[in-house]
């Protein structure tokens, strides 16, 4: 069986400006292909009504005007994320003359299902096997002629990052001729019968002129609400359509979407067996074994524990112990601060003005000492470790490991991305929750980010505070993890409906390069200090003013009973008030109290836990308001604040009950 | 991180992108466009832009 679209037999290039669209999943080198096709004259713009950026470039292939559009990455024609919706909208509304489906040739099997979907949709597809250099390096050969015959579409090999195969690709675009396309996949009988029944119902609808009726029918079977909406607008017989779909669903155990995916995967597997040959030499290399071990639930957890241990010794013991001890106690404590106090104390006779610089909340004694004496060494060591982890490619593997844990507590797999990103910066991670499917999932992820995910700077300082004992850091980790799982579990019970599976491209593991790690650490530090120092200075001015007018005392006195009741010494009240400004600033306050010997043992642990859990920093809170609306943001904050102290209380009483004194 | 001045490789998902494209998510952020972090358009992971000091040194070493 075959379908014919676009009966004209003229080459596409004969018309005026050729429109070429690039599609493909992320990480297949799509932007390299785009840039090698267009050069550098590129316009970036928001796709109308969305936050998604679309790249467009105008160029000429052998004198023919060509417009190239780079669509956002997509994993399926059945759109879930905003990016995928934009990619599909471009294909449907802009009607490109040629669609280049760019794939990572070494992962052809995983990539082919989208090719099938594009062919089914009746789009003018050329399959671009990119990253051929890496594929060949792995000893993989692909018979492109056979693949082209089997698929019924042109196939081109490229290594766009090296500029290989680009001229041939341009020529293939110019030569593109619409042909009778094969139907790439035959589905289960139930599905094929349903498609046959749906075809007459969708055939003459305007939406169909952009997409083949078969593709429309298949998307309907996948519960694609957008397509259903389009057909409703066109006045199609929705009742009859829904009847067919519910009949299919009733007659099979799985969802139709699952059956379709399985058939496509099977077809892809068979195809790859036909066209791909692997030089049979070696067993999986060490790197591959290590990569798998990192994602395996058991070995992966052990590796994560080892990574945390290394972090603890380097950041907590060395950074926060050795380095801070020297900087804060010796450099600031014995030299800079006494000297400045002496000089400025004499220079500025009015005490209240002098206090602005050298008082309890002075710009120098509080702001600069915290920023440079405490935060700087801790975050420097932390950023070094973090850059190494980033550079090695461990983060995506951590995401895959965490995904299993998420499924276990019934959370959506897509929540993994923002949660792991939150370990870098919660503010941006909150914005990324947009990629989640439903409003409820977005709210739950936002809540978990605000509650239990410390950002990188805060994490560094927490490691620093708790470096006094391994037991303390393990308890802290255990409590925060438990809160995360418990709140996540309870919140996800409120969600009904399917759980999306999480899929992510895993870039190769590699040995971190020293130069890379150092320049990145430096860049991160420079950025951090630029952002943090003004903030710390401003905060100390605010605190000084609050102290001068007596407002701070009122606040501290209000907070004291709560804090003491939870088991934290009253002196820590200031640190918690500072924590409203920035979490890491508050943590630095706790650090200061710990080195002065005021905060120790159980009280230190409880304050670290409460500080981790309670209120996000101001930037994150503002983003929460912007993304979720002020009602939800206030509700989340309103839950978190008492809840953090409640957890602290429970922890304190449990420790007392068990007779544990850390 | 940076392969040259224009393209960056995301340390989270491995996506390669134009540094100029790394602002897709900035619209909603109160820190706005002045935070000097570059975001991956694929997954929104943030990396600091290469510091001016480092890129100056790099350029000096390239053109002796
Ligand atoms: Zn990325």
């Amino acid at each position: 069986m075959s379908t014919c679209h676009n009966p004209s037999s003229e080459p596409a290039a004969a018309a005026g400006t050729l429109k070429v669209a690039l599609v493909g999943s992320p990480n297949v080198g799509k932007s390299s292909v785009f840039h090698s096709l267009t050069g550098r004259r590129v316009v970036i713009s928001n796709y109308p009504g969305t936050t998604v950026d679309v790249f467009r470039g105008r160029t000429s292939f052998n004198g023919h005007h060509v417009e190239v559009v780079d669509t956002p990455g997509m994993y399926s024609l059945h759109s879930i994320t905003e990016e995928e919706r934009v990619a599909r909208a471009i294909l449907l509304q802009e009607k490109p003359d040629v669609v280049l489906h760019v794939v990572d040739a070494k992962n052809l099997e995983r990539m082919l299902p989208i090719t099938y979907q594009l062919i089914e949709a009746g789009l003018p597809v050329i399959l671009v096997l990119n990253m051929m250099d890496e594929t060949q390096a792995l000893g993989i050969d692909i018979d492109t002629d056979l693949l082209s015959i089997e698929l019924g579409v042109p196939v081109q090999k490229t290594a766009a990052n090296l500029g290989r195969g680009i001229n041939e690709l341009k020529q293939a675009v110019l030569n593109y001729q619409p042909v009778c396309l094969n139907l790439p996949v035959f589905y289960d009988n139930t599905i094929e019968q349903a498609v046959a029944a749906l075809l007459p119902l969708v055939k003459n609808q305007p939406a169909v002129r952009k997409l083949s009726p078969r593709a429309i029918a298949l998307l309907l079977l996948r519960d694609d609400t957008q397509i259903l909406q389009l057909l409703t607008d066109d006045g199609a017989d929705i009742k009859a359509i829904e009847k067919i779909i519910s009949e299919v669903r009733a007659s099979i155990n799985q969802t139709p979407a699952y059956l379709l995916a399985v058939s496509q995967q099977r077809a892809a597997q068979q195809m790859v067996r036909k066209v791909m040959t692997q030089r049979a030499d070696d067993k999986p290399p060490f790197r591959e074994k290590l990569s798998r071990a990192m994602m395996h639930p058991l070995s992966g957890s052990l590796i994560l524990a080892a990574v945390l241990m290394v972090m603890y010794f380097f950041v907590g013991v060395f950074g926060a112990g050795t380095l801070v001890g020297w900087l804060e106690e010796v450099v600031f404590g014995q030299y800079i601060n006494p000297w400045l106090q002496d000089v400025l104390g004499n220079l500025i006779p009015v005490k209240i003005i002098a206090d602005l610089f050298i008082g309890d909340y002075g710009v120098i004694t509080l702001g600069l000492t915290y920023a440079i004496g405490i935060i700087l060494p801790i975050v420097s060591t932390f950023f070094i470790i973090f850059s190494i982890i980033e550079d090695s490619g461990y983060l995506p593997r951590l995401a895959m490991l965490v995904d299993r844990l998420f499924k276990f507590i019934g959370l959506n797999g897509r929540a993994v991305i923002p949660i792991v990103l939150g370990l870098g910066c919660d503010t941006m991670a909150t914005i990324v929750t947009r990629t989640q499917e439903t409003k409820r999932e977005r709210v739950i992820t936002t809540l978990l980010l605000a509650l239990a995910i410390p950002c990188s700077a805060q994490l560094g300082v927490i490691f620093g505070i708790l470096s006094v004992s391994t037991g303390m850091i393990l308890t802290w980790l255990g409590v925060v993890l438990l809160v995360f799982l418990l709140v996540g579990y309870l919140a996800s019970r409120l969600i009904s409906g399917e759980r999306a599976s999480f899929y992510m491209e895993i870039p190769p593991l590699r040995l971190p390069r020293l130069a890379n790690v150092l320049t990145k650490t430096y860049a991160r530090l420079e950025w951090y200090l630029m952002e943090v120092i003004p903030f710390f200075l401003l905060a100390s001015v605010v605190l000084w003013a609050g102290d001068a007018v007596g407002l701070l005392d009122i606040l501290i006195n209000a907070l004291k009973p709560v804090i003491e009741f939870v088991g934290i010494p009253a002196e820590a009240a200031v640190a918690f008030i500072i924590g409203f400004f920035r979490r890491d600033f508050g943590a630095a306050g706790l650090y200061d109290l710990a080195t002065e010997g005021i905060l120790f043992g159980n009280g230190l642990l409880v304050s670290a836990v409460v500080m981790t859990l309670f209120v996000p920093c101001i930037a994150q809170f503002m983003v929460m308001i912007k993304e979720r609306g002020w009602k939800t943001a206030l509700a989340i904050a309103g839950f978190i604040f008492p809840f953090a102290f409640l957890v602290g209380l429970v922890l304190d009483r449990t420790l007392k009950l068990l007779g544990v004194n850390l | 991180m940076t392969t040259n001045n224009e393209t960056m490789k995301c340390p989270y998902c491995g996506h390669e992108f134009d540094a100029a494209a790394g602002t897709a998510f900035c619209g909603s952020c109160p820190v706005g466009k002045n935070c000097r972090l570059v975001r991956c358009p694929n997954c929104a992971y943030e990396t600091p832009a290469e510091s001016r000091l480092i890129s100056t040194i790099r350029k000096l070493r390239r053109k002796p």
Side-chain angles (χ1 to χ4, degrees):
Chain A
M1 193 170 34
S2 69
T3 57
C4 281
H5 304 285
N6 203 344
S8 94
S9 57
E10 260 179 295
T17 299
L18 251 178
K19 193 168 212 165
V20 177
L22 291 176
V23 296
S25 46
N27 299 320
V28 295
K30 209 151 57 75
S31 36
S32 305
V33 174
F34 177 73
H35 283 305
S36 23
L37 287 178
T38 55
R40 292 241 160 250
R41 282 155 299 169
V42 172
V43 183
I44 313 168
S45 60
N46 254 204
Y47 196 76
T50 68
T51 53
V52 179
D53 274 338
V54 174
F55 286 59
R56 292 167 196 275
R58 287 184 170 278
T59 181
S60 69
F61 297 173
N62 293 345
H64 294 275
H65 292 292
V66 177
E67 187 194 347
V68 186
V69 190
D70 189 11
T71 67
M74 63 179 193
Y75 292 113
S76 163
L77 199 58
H78 169 58
S79 54
I80 292 174
T81 63
E82 194 180 19
E83 278 76 12
E84 285 168 336
R85 275 194 281 277
V86 168
R88 189 164 84 180
I90 292 172
L91 292 181
L92 296 193
Q93 274 144 35
E94 303 195 10
K95 292 186 204 145
D97 299 292
V98 179
V99 173
L100 299 181
H101 181 214
V102 183
V103 301
D104 173 359
K106 50 183 194 300
N107 290 316
L108 186 60
E109 188 178 322
R110 260 187 299 164
M111 308 267 149
L112 276 175
I114 304 184
T115 319
Y116 293 148
Q117 290 170 23
L118 294 169
I119 295 173
E120 270 167 1
L123 294 163
V125 181
I126 294 179
L127 180 61
V128 181
L129 302 178
N130 194 30
M131 304 180 146
M132 273 316 292
D133 49 333
E134 291 172 29
T135 310
Q136 278 157 355
L138 288 171
I140 297 170
D141 264 321
I142 298 173
D143 184 343
T144 41
D145 294 333
L146 184 59
L147 184 59
S148 173
I149 292 165
E150 290 282 333
L151 289 174
V153 301
V155 177
Q156 280 294 321
K157 287 181 181 177
T158 55
N161 52 340
L162 304 174
R164 284 193 208 140
I166 296 301
N167 285 332
E168 292 83 345
L169 180 59
K170 287 181 179 172
Q171 201 52 53
V173 169
L174 293 177
N175 294 346
Y176 184 83
Q177 293 225 17
V179 282
C180 281
L181 301 169
N182 296 331
L183 275 186
V185 186
F186 289 99
Y187 297 100
D188 191 275
N189 272 339
T190 327
I191 299 282
E192 289 294 348
Q193 277 161 19
V195 170
L198 284 169
L199 281 182
L201 293 167
V202 300
K203 208 160 203 164
N204 293 315
Q205 305 302 329
V208 174
R209 274 177 229 141
K210 298 163 190 163
L211 216 56
S212 77
R214 183 177 169 86
I216 297 270
L218 289 170
L219 285 171
L220 285 172
L221 287 170
R222 283 168 179 263
D223 275 332
D224 196 299
T225 45
Q226 212 187 2
I227 293 292
L228 197 64
Q229 188 57 48
L230 273 177
L231 288 168
T232 313
D233 296 345
D234 290 346
D237 189 351
I238 297 298
K239 278 224 174 95
I241 290 173
E242 278 173 344
K243 187 165 168 271
I244 295 170
I245 296 173
S246 55
E247 275 168 12
V248 176
R249 218 175 283 149
S251 68
I252 54 176
N253 293 327
Q254 261 86 22
T255 58
Y258 177 79
L259 283 187
L260 292 175
V262 169
S263 305
Q264 285 172 353
Q265 272 161 22
R266 205 181 301 134
Q269 212 173 38
Q270 283 161 2
M271 179 73 80
V272 163
R273 252 182 240 145
K274 271 189 227 165
V275 302
M276 213 183 218
T277 43
Q278 163 90 53
R279 255 189 276 124
D281 38 12
D282 33 23
K283 45 187 187 310
F286 172 71
R287 203 187 289 208
E288 187 55 38
K289 277 190 213 156
L290 182 63
S291 168
R292 273 179 219 159
M294 283 171 167
M295 294 183 273
H296 184 272
L298 187 69
S299 54
S301 309
L302 288 175
I303 291 173
L304 177 60
V307 169
L308 289 174
M309 277 300 278
V310 171
M311 222 181 227
Y312 164 69
F313 280 111
F314 190 64
V315 180
V317 179
F318 174 68
T322 319
L323 290 182
V324 176
W326 179 72
L327 259 178
E328 198 207 6
E329 284 158 32
V330 181
V331 177
F332 276 89
Q334 286 176 21
Y335 296 99
I336 299 181
N337 287 351
W339 179 74
L340 277 171
Q341 269 159 340
D342 201 37
V343 172
L344 288 173
N346 288 330
L347 215 66
I348 309 169
V350 188
K351 185 174 180 296
I352 195 164
I353 305 291
D355 275 350
L356 173 58
F357 299 97
I358 51 175
D360 281 347
Y361 309 109
V363 169
I364 293 160
T365 35
L366 181 78
L368 275 187
T369 312
Y370 275 17
I372 297 179
I374 299 177
I375 297 272
L376 178 68
I378 293 179
V379 296
S380 310
T381 43
F382 185 81
F383 285 158
I384 290 176
I385 293 276
F386 202 73
S387 304
I388 293 175
I389 290 176
E390 241 183 34
D391 233 40
S392 65
Y394 180 63
L395 285 178
R397 287 164 179 85
L398 177 63
M400 294 310 289
L401 178 73
V402 172
D403 180 49
R404 289 172 204 261
L405 189 71
F406 272 42
K407 291 218 180 78
F408 183 69
I409 61 165
L411 262 187
N412 193 301
R414 277 192 189 254
V416 173
I417 296 184
I419 294 286
V420 176
L421 290 181
L423 293 172
C425 172
D426 279 320
T427 309
M428 210 35 76
T430 305
I431 300 175
V432 176
T433 55
R434 277 183 197 165
T435 56
Q436 292 185 286
E437 239 174 305
T438 65
K439 197 184 156 212
R440 225 160 185 183
E441 285 158 15
R442 282 179 223 137
V443 171
I444 291 177
T445 315
T446 308
L447 166 69
L448 288 176
L449 280 171
L451 178 70
I453 304 296
C455 66
S456 57
Q458 193 196 14
L459 200 59
V461 183
I462 294 277
F463 268 112
I465 306 179
L466 300 179
S467 61
V468 278
S469 95
T470 319
M472 221 179 252
I473 203 147
L474 286 179
T475 320
W476 171 82
L477 199 67
V479 172
V480 173
L481 197 66
L482 197 71
V483 166
F484 177 85
L485 294 180
L486 190 73
V487 173
Y489 177 79
L490 291 176
S492 71
R493 289 297 98 171
L494 302 171
I495 292 191
S496 52
E498 274 180 82
R499 313 199 188 291
S501 66
F502 170 63
Y503 168 76
M504 182 178 176
E505 280 296 323
I506 308 278
L509 273 183
R510 45 186 180 183
L511 218 56
R513 285 176 38 216
L514 183 67
N516 246 352
V517 170
L518 290 182
T519 51
K520 206 175 204 164
T521 305
Y522 178 77
R524 199 163 253 146
L525 268 179
E526 194 185 75
W527 157 78
Y528 187 71
L529 289 178
M530 299 279 218
E531 184 174 281
V532 103
I533 289 181
F535 207 102
F536 278 28
L537 298 184
L538 182 73
S540 45
V541 172
V542 171
L543 286 169
W544 164 83
D547 186 42
V549 299
L551 199 68
L552 193 61
D553 278 338
I554 297 173
L555 264 176
I556 291 174
N557 285 328
L559 205 58
K560 250 184 196 165
V562 183
I563 288 185
E564 283 185 323
F565 183 63
V566 170
I568 303 169
E571 288 85 347
V574 183
F576 281 93
I577 290 169
I578 300 176
F580 281 120
F581 289 101
R582 277 190 71 109
R583 290 207 240 188
D584 48 351
F585 199 174
L590 294 184
Y591 184 92
D592 205 25
L593 291 173
T595 49
E596 281 171 28
I598 296 166
L599 201 55
F600 55 90
N602 294 5
L604 176 60
L605 174 65
V606 173
S607 13
V609 166
V610 175
M611 186 69 82
T612 310
L613 296 181
F614 103 146
V615 291
C617 73
I618 286 182
Q620 188 185 352
F621 188 65
M622 280 165 70
V623 166
M624 277 164 60
I625 294 177
K626 227 170 169 179
E627 293 283 309
R628 298 287 94 84
W630 61 270
K631 274 188 202 156
T632 314
L634 280 181
I636 289 178
F639 163 75
I640 286 177
F641 187 73
F643 183 74
F645 282 99
L646 180 72
V647 173
L649 183 72
V650 172
L651 176 62
D652 180 63
R653 296 300 188 268
T654 312
L655 289 175
K656 280 198 181 115
L657 208 69
L658 296 173
V660 179
N661 268 309
L662 286 163
Chain B
M1 162 179 76
T2 315
T3 44
N4 64 46
N5 284 335
E6 283 156 328
T7 54
M8 292 185 71
K9 192 162 188 152
C10 171
Y12 185 55
C13 71
H15 183 64
E16 250 181 74
F17 61 98
D18 233 84
T23 49
F25 283 91
C26 290
S28 308
C29 179
V31 185
K33 299 199 172 179
N34 305 320
C35 74
R36 310 214 323 119
L37 290 171
V38 180
R39 275 145 228 91
C40 165
N42 180 32
C43 71
Y45 190 80
E46 296 181 307
T47 329
E50 188 169 75
S51 114
R52 271 192 213 117
L53 179 69
I54 304 270
S55 48
T56 314
I57 294 173
R58 214 184 278 270
K59 263 176 217 149
L60 285 175
R61 285 180 62 189
R62 211 174 288 158
K63 285 178 247 166

